[in-house]
Amino acid sequence: MELDEVKLDELKQAWAGMERRQDGMAAWLQADRRARGQDKMHATLRWSLAGRLVELAIWITFTVCVATFWVDHRQVTHWLVIGLMLHVYGIAGIWASATQWLLLTRIQLFDAPVVVLQKRLAQLRQFRVWCSLGLGLPWWCLWLLLPMVGAEWLAGVDVYVTEPLWFWACMATGIIGMVASVCWARHLAGRPIKSRWLQRMVDDMSGCNLRRAARQLDELARFARD
């Protein structure tokens, strides 16, 4: 009997040791999968970080060129006004790109639980959508102003003087288009998007790399729950 009890105790200890090893292996596998998932997400976000830096450099170049133009043409009222409008637009682009870069670094450089990373990424995607709208709406008018500046700067042709009625008609159409776009955006705000085409457009505005990173974080969150 005593021998049987000793063997039973040894068997129980061996079984407990196997369970501990299995638990340790499961924990190791879970940590390894989480680390690999995070590495994939960080690799995806590195492309977004590089893209924001390139975008920032483009906006800075644009703003410097526009500033040079309106300073050279400040004696002409309409060129001064147009140049200042484009200058403000360029500064807005610099601010938007720099802010997105900072929000990305908050996700990329600082480790945090998956739920926190999901929240930060959702905030970044929402901010990017609003930036895309804010910088995209002025193109209702910029499509006219930029070629005008180019024609004046490169060829000395002043479209505002030669075709004033056409200029003001295009500007009025652009302003109407901006107002209509803002009303449409306000109508859609806070409502579920049922149209696949519209949802795809919103996803494109938030950026394909950010969308891919969001999917990777969702996978990590599902794995953590399981």
Side-chain angles (χ1 to χ4, degrees):
M1 289 294 293
E2 292 180 358
L3 183 61
D4 291 340
E5 290 179 358
V6 170
K7 290 183 177 180
L8 183 60
D9 290 339
E10 291 178 350
L11 183 61
K12 289 180 179 179
Q13 292 176 1
W15 186 262
M18 290 179 60
E19 288 183 341
R20 285 195 297 270
R21 286 193 292 272
Q22 288 178 348
D23 292 340
M25 181 63 70
W28 180 84
L29 289 174
Q30 183 175 9
D32 180 68
R33 182 171 178 180
R34 184 177 186 273
R36 285 188 285 110
Q38 287 186 335
D39 288 343
K40 287 174 60 178
M41 182 202 66
H42 288 310
T44 301
L45 291 181
R46 277 195 289 271
W47 286 103
S48 291
L49 280 169
R52 297 296 75 73
L53 288 177
V54 172
E55 192 176 79
L56 184 60
I58 293 173
W59 279 115
I60 292 173
T61 303
F62 171 84
T63 306
V64 170
C65 292
V66 168
T68 302
F69 174 83
W70 72 257
V71 169
D72 291 342
H73 295 79
R74 61 185 181 276
Q75 68 278 5
V76 182
T77 302
H78 63 274
W79 287 130
L80 177 62
V81 173
I82 291 174
L84 288 173
M85 289 172 60
L86 294 176
H87 197 172
V88 171
Y89 181 75
I91 292 174
I94 292 173
W95 172 79
S97 296
T99 303
Q100 290 178 59
W101 187 83
L102 291 173
L103 292 174
L104 272 168
T105 58
R106 189 177 63 159
I107 301 171
Q108 180 76 343
L109 301 180
F110 301 100
D111 193 17
V114 174
V115 176
V116 175
L117 293 177
Q118 285 179 311
K119 183 178 179 180
R120 291 177 180 178
L121 187 58
Q123 291 172 345
L124 173 59
R125 294 185 69 189
Q126 184 180 30
F127 180 77
R128 183 165 174 79
V129 168
W130 284 111
C131 286
S132 299
L133 286 173
L135 295 174
L137 285 175
W139 278 99
W140 280 99
C141 296
L142 292 182
W143 73 267
L144 172 63
L145 299 183
L146 283 178
M148 284 179 58
V149 169
E152 169 63 26
W153 208 353
L154 299 176
V157 177
D158 192 339
V159 178
Y160 180 83
V161 173
T162 58
E163 299 291 342
L165 293 179
W166 177 78
F167 170 83
W168 286 112
C170 291
M171 290 297 291
T173 302
I175 292 172
I176 293 172
M178 281 195 294
V179 172
S181 298
V182 170
C183 293
W184 181 61
R186 290 186 63 183
H187 174 73
L188 294 176
R191 299 188 179 190
I193 300 177
K194 299 180 180 180
S195 171
R196 291 184 179 180
W197 173 83
L198 188 58
Q199 183 62 57
R200 190 180 301 113
M201 184 179 70
V202 172
D203 289 340
D204 291 339
M205 290 169 66
S206 68
C208 59
N209 285 327
L210 297 185
R211 187 169 67 251
R212 190 180 305 117
R215 287 199 300 266
Q216 292 164 351
L217 278 177
D218 291 340
E219 291 176 3
L220 285 173
R222 285 195 298 270
F223 178 74
R225 288 194 297 269
D226 296 338

